[in-house]
Amino acid sequence: MSLLELIGRADERALAAGAVACLERCLPLLAGPEAEPLRPLWASCENGQEWAIRLAAVRTEMEQGSVSDGPAALVRAMLGAAPSDFAAVPLREWADACSLVALRVHGRFDAPDGDVPADEEDLLKAARSGEPAAVGPLVAGELERQVRILEILAETAGTAGSGAGLRKALDLSTEGRRVLRAVMSRRARGRS
């Protein structure tokens, strides 16, 4: 099933967790290696309990740091766009937007110069639709993580193991965050 189909079929829990997972993997742009600013949102993904309150707290914490470049600004904007209402329609729109931003961010690091490919929109649309697309390894890995997370959450929805599904989603996102941090570190060393 394609990423867009999975987003289209996901329930509130999967949509919220999928979006938070995308932001989690892009955290190296905004936070230090030990920071866990999104942890309160993960705690609300299961049933939306205290979602709006925790979202407001996370936004306040994340607005503390300065944002200097385009990709980091995109990630912060996605946090700002998060709906306070834990409902399928607004969460679906947000999850779709977070998915696209995470893929774009990873695409910037796939490009040696960090520039946006001229055909980025078409490539990402094809990749998200399940069609073959000539995307770089970071985008391919990010796409795979997004699909896997939504599949895990769909498999565990409404079961006694639903919390374990969220834990697996967080683990995959933490792994993805480490990958992006390593790429950013290598690129910074290459410039100095």
Side-chain angles (χ1 to χ4, degrees):
M1 193 174 304
S2 76
L3 176 60
L4 292 178
E5 290 172 318
L6 288 167
I7 292 171
R9 293 181 181 194
D11 63 5
E12 291 90 342
R13 172 180 160 268
L15 292 167
V20 172
C22 287
L23 296 177
E24 181 83 31
R25 289 187 300 278
C26 294
L27 271 181
L29 297 167
L30 298 172
E34 302 304 316
E36 297 286 344
L38 301 179
R39 197 53 64 117
L41 288 181
W42 282 103
S44 288
C45 286
E46 181 65 39
N47 57 17
Q49 186 174 354
E50 297 184 9
W51 173 262
I53 294 166
R54 290 176 175 169
L55 177 60
V58 168
R59 282 180 179 149
T60 299
E61 180 180 344
M62 294 299 291
E63 288 171 1
Q64 305 292 329
S66 65
V67 173
S68 58
D69 69 351
L74 284 173
V75 174
R76 182 173 285 166
M78 281 301 93
L79 182 60
S84 296
D85 187 18
F86 197 83
V89 172
L91 286 170
R92 191 171 324 285
E93 291 173 9
W94 183 53
D96 183 62
C98 287
S99 164
L100 194 53
V101 164
L103 291 168
R104 284 182 176 147
V105 165
H106 283 75
R108 297 302 188 295
F109 289 98
D110 265 336
D113 53 7
D115 286 341
V116 179
D119 58 350
E120 177 190 53
E121 201 66 39
D122 293 334
L123 286 173
L124 293 181
K125 183 178 180 182
R128 293 174 80 221
S129 297
E131 299 170 20
V135 296
L138 288 174
V139 171
E142 173 60 16
L143 181 67
E144 185 179 319
R145 277 186 284 280
Q146 288 184 25
V147 167
R148 187 66 193 125
I149 284 169
L150 290 173
E151 288 173 344
I152 288 169
L153 294 169
E155 290 166 6
T156 59
T159 68
S162 65
L166 284 171
R167 182 66 205 176
K168 286 180 184 177
L170 175 59
D171 290 345
L172 277 170
S173 294
T174 301
E175 171 195 319
R177 185 167 71 167
R178 286 186 196 119
V179 168
L180 186 59
R181 186 171 307 287
V183 169
M184 290 173 62
S185 178
R186 257 182 268 132
R187 186 166 282 188
R189 281 193 308 267
R191 287 185 189 149
S192 52

